[in-house]
Amino acid sequence: EIYREIHGENHSNTCSCYEGIGSVLVEQGRNDDALIGYGKALAIRIKIFGENHVDVGHSYCNIGVVQGKKGDYDGALISLQKAKAIYTRELGVEHPKTVKTNVYIDLCQQRMDSSNKAVQL
């Protein structure tokens, strides 16, 4: 509230606040609420930086991880692929953020495969 009142809704400090709140909510297991905070941070970052900024990739990655925790693997893959595309383009394939996102994508695909196999049984 305070950051929003001082800086306005579309300010990087307000964005950081939303992201910090999202991180705390994830730690508390409140993933739905965390997604709201991360979504607000993403929207602000897109307005400030445009679609292809590394910080936008960071928001997509956070959202994808939480979606994966919730079992929304399709949504998680979409978000993580967006993060990966930004990181690859802006940082390169060997950058730690790109590598870490690839790990998240692999984990998500493994969980999807396990889920699909369980359904087939």
Side-chain angles (χ1 to χ4, degrees):
E1 278 301 308
I2 295 171
Y3 278 104
R4 191 171 59 216
E5 288 177 19
I6 294 171
H7 300 292
E9 183 68 24
N10 296 318
H11 191 278
S12 61
N13 288 344
T14 306
C15 174
S16 295
C17 221
Y18 282 131
E19 187 147 281
I21 290 168
S23 296
V24 169
L25 292 169
V26 168
E27 291 299 317
Q28 294 175 345
R30 297 172 54 193
N31 294 324
D32 289 329
D33 294 329
L35 282 175
I36 293 169
Y38 285 154
K40 288 180 179 182
L42 172 63
I44 293 168
R45 284 183 168 150
I46 290 172
K47 285 180 186 174
I48 294 172
F49 302 122
E51 276 283 342
N52 296 314
H53 193 275
V54 171
D55 287 350
V56 173
H58 182 72
S59 287
Y60 278 125
C61 189
N62 284 339
I63 290 168
V65 169
V66 175
Q67 288 170 315
K69 286 182 179 215
K70 291 182 53 169
D72 177 12
Y73 302 123
D74 291 328
L77 280 176
I78 290 168
S79 297
L80 293 168
Q81 291 288 359
K82 287 180 180 181
K84 177 184 174 180
I86 292 168
Y87 289 156
T88 300
R89 184 175 44 255
E90 300 300 318
L91 303 173
V93 295
E94 294 181 14
H95 191 276
K97 287 186 181 214
T98 309
V99 172
K100 184 175 172 183
T101 303
N102 281 327
V103 170
Y104 290 146
I105 289 169
D106 289 344
L107 287 170
C108 191
Q109 288 173 330
Q110 289 172 12
R111 289 181 179 152
M112 281 180 78
D113 292 343
S114 294
S115 227
N116 289 337
K117 288 178 185 173
V119 169
Q120 290 174 355
L121 294 176

